[in-house]
Amino acid sequence: MPVIPYSQAIRDGLYEAMKADDSVIVIGQGVPDASQTYGTTSGLIDHFGADRVLEMPISEASMVGIILGASLVSIRPVMVFARMEFAVLAMDQIVNQAAKWHYMFAGGDSVPIVLRMIVGRGWGQGAQHAQSLHNWFAHVPGLKVVMPSTAYDAKGLLISSIEDPNPVIFVEHRWLHYTTSNVPDGLYRIPIGSPNLIRTGKHATVVASSYSTIDAIKASEILLKEGIDIDLIDLRTIAPLNDAMILESVKKTGRLVVCDQGHLTSGFSAEIVARVTEKAFKDLKEAPIRIALPDCPTPTTRALSNYFYPMPEHIVNAVRQQLGLKNQDPFLNVKPKDYLDSPNKEFVGPF
């Protein structure tokens, strides 16, 4: 099984879905250009032509309306928003139309569209280009929201999303495009709504999604050196939310830490804590802890952003706190001039 980047897994998932089904098209600003969208559409236009890999104007609301109409005549569009913020311009079409169609027509019609949205930090994106508003979409009945954290999951979940009969929001953290994992060749699927138990342990349950899962894995390795092992659950899908694995884990560990890429107040981490307190309150030994972004817009300068984003050390601290152990300032060794705002030292683009 080859090891490939997350970005290539997205591209391969698109290729396999388009090869298997002539009705699948890809549309978005820059998608015919191999250097755009992190290389996730590289070469598709050479295989499938300009009729199925389409450039679009800067008119997001109109284009979502057009692909919604196209989906009603048996076309399966995949639309790419290079920033999640651009999808905000099309919220009426997404929330008031696409999400409701299947329900309003008693299941007689459906809109099989996938809306890829890229979120997260990096390279001074700032307040208008680095938001993670996935909880907005998860709040809307009729929308599915998937947030894969590995290349393997990205390909399998993307194929499942394209084959789904109703709208799916497919959320990609930009830093994940440069991570790698084993990915099978060919067509395979991961069911929407299936969380993944990455590590098993007895001291605490840590729940994460998207890039937070990568931070949680790093935290688990630090904790393991201290003799602390955790259940680490990667949600993979936040709507519909399958909470059975979380409840079973908390029943065993009695402690819960939730990591999210969104802001703290009214964020998705609150939904996890609410579910556990409603359904497994008697199993909790400590109050759950949420790790999320502060309730202020994303800063642009390094001097501020270095102290804005949670780090693996925050998760380590939270688990230690659950166990009644001492911890230290997670930003203790961070300096204002440190260059932390890139996924790793090997990063070379494309932007």
Side-chain angles (χ1 to χ4, degrees):
M1 191 183 302
V3 176
I4 64 173
Y6 187 101
S7 57
Q8 185 181 336
I10 296 285
R11 184 266 178 202
D12 290 355
L14 290 170
Y15 173 82
E16 294 295 342
M18 297 178 79
K19 186 175 71 170
D21 184 348
D22 290 341
S23 71
V24 178
I25 65 169
V26 178
I27 184 169
Q29 290 160 20
V31 297
D33 183 342
S35 67
Q36 298 296 314
T37 324
Y38 306 88
T40 57
T41 56
S42 177
L44 293 179
I45 194 168
D46 299 327
H47 287 284
F48 302 107
D51 290 340
R52 296 181 64 193
V53 182
L54 298 95
E55 182 64 79
M56 62 170 261
I58 303 176
S59 182
E60 285 79 3
S62 299
M63 294 311 300
V64 174
I66 289 170
I67 66 166
L68 193 157
S71 71
L72 293 172
V73 291
S74 303
I75 294 174
R76 289 181 175 268
V78 178
M79 184 167 167
V80 183
F81 294 95
R83 304 286 184 277
M84 178 175 268
E85 287 86 350
F86 302 160
V88 173
L89 296 163
M91 287 297 270
D92 177 63
Q93 297 288 4
I94 298 170
V95 174
N96 289 328
Q97 305 300 331
K100 308 296 188 293
W101 211 270
H102 189 70
Y103 178 81
M104 289 194 302
F105 293 97
D109 256 327
S110 61
V111 286
I113 63 175
V114 175
L115 302 174
R116 288 179 53 199
M117 300 184 190
I118 296 169
V119 303
R121 64 186 294 187
W123 315 293
Q125 293 288 290
Q128 296 171 314
H129 297 89
Q131 297 176 90
S132 297
L133 305 172
H134 46 277
N135 59 309
W136 286 20
F137 298 99
H139 182 70
V140 178
L143 295 179
K144 298 182 178 71
V145 183
V146 300
M147 301 181 69
S149 65
T150 69
Y152 175 84
D153 290 349
K155 182 178 177 181
L157 276 166
L158 180 59
I159 291 170
S160 294
S161 299
I162 293 171
E163 294 177 346
D164 195 279
N166 287 297
V168 178
I169 310 297
F170 191 88
V171 182
E172 305 161 35
H173 191 290
R174 57 173 54 85
W175 280 15
L176 288 172
H177 288 110
Y178 312 102
T179 61
T180 60
S181 64
N182 295 98
V183 178
D185 293 325
L187 202 67
Y188 70 94
R189 302 164 185 83
I190 294 175
I192 294 175
S194 58
N196 184 30
L197 181 61
I198 293 179
R199 288 180 182 271
T200 60
K202 60 180 179 295
H203 292 109
T205 299
V206 175
V207 179
S209 61
S210 189
Y211 197 83
S212 290
T213 302
I214 305 302
D215 283 342
I217 290 172
K218 293 177 181 176
S220 71
E221 292 167 351
I222 296 171
L223 289 165
L224 198 57
K225 292 176 182 176
E226 301 174 6
I228 301 169
D229 51 30
I230 61 171
D231 267 2
L232 172 53
I233 297 171
D234 179 13
L235 290 174
R236 299 201 291 200
T237 300
I238 64 170
L241 177 62
N242 181 347
D243 58 20
M245 184 181 290
I246 301 171
L247 297 172
E248 188 64 27
S249 174
V250 170
K251 184 177 181 181
K252 177 180 67 173
T253 67
R255 302 176 179 89
L256 175 66
V257 174
V258 186
C259 315
D260 186 30
Q261 292 290 312
H263 296 287
L264 182 69
T265 298
S266 299
F268 198 76
S269 59
E271 176 63 27
I272 303 296
V273 171
R275 295 259 187 137
V276 170
T277 51
E278 285 175 349
K279 299 180 180 181
F281 184 76
K282 62 180 175 50
D283 297 314
L284 287 169
K285 299 174 183 174
E286 301 288 339
I289 296 176
R290 292 177 290 162
I291 296 175
L293 301 184
D295 291 324
C296 67
T298 305
T300 301
T301 63
R302 275 185 281 163
L304 295 175
S305 68
N306 283 355
Y307 301 94
F308 178 79
Y309 293 99
M311 302 169 66
E313 286 77 8
H314 287 82
I315 304 171
V316 170
N317 274 359
V319 173
R320 286 175 178 157
Q321 182 178 331
Q322 290 269 303
L323 295 167
L325 302 173
K326 291 183 178 179
N327 52 39
Q328 63 181 17
D329 178 4
F331 294 123
L332 181 64
N333 297 316
V334 176
K335 303 293 186 296
K337 292 184 179 180
D338 288 346
Y339 194 77
L340 303 180
D341 208 19
S342 65
N344 55 54
K345 294 179 180 178
E346 289 74 34
F347 167 68
V348 292
F351 174 53

